[in-house]
Amino acid sequence: MNRTQREAAVRGIMDGTQPQVPPDLYTDVVRRGGRMLRRRTVARRLMWLVLFAASVAFVIWALTARPWVEPPSETTPPLTGW
C-alpha cells in the first residue's frame, strides 16, 4: 500500500460516520475516574504520613543514640613514664 492509498483509506475512515457511544458509558467513566482520584489522594496522603513518621523516628533515634559521638574506649591506654 503506497502513500496515496493510505491517505485515501484514512480519509475514508475520518469522513465516515462516528460510532454510537452507549448512553450509560459517561456515568460509568465518571464513577471510575472519581474512584481513581480518591485512591490516588489516599495513597499520596499515606505516603506523606509514612515519610513524616520515618523522619520523626529517625530524629528520635539520633537524639537518643547520638551516633556522631565517639564511643568510650573499651580498654585503658597503656601507662608509661611511672
Side-chain angles (χ1 to χ4, degrees):
M1 185 179 254
N2 61 14
R3 183 177 177 163
T4 56
Q5 290 174 340
R6 283 186 282 166
E7 287 178 358
V10 169
R11 282 195 185 102
I13 292 171
M14 298 288 281
D15 291 338
T17 60
Q18 300 295 323
Q20 293 295 321
V21 178
D24 60 336
L25 183 64
Y26 176 75
T27 58
D28 190 36
V29 167
V30 168
R31 182 177 50 81
R32 287 185 183 182
R35 187 184 313 152
M36 256 182 16
L37 286 176
R38 282 189 303 275
R39 285 183 182 171
R40 282 185 188 169
T41 303
V42 168
R44 191 178 308 120
R45 287 182 182 169
L46 183 64
M47 180 184 64
W48 280 111
L49 179 67
V50 166
L51 181 66
F52 178 73
S55 62
V56 167
F58 175 76
V59 167
I60 291 173
W61 170 80
L63 289 175
T64 57
R66 301 171 123 210
W68 57 88
V69 176
E70 185 177 327
S73 172
E74 294 292 327
T75 61
T76 57
L79 295 175
T80 58
W82 272 77

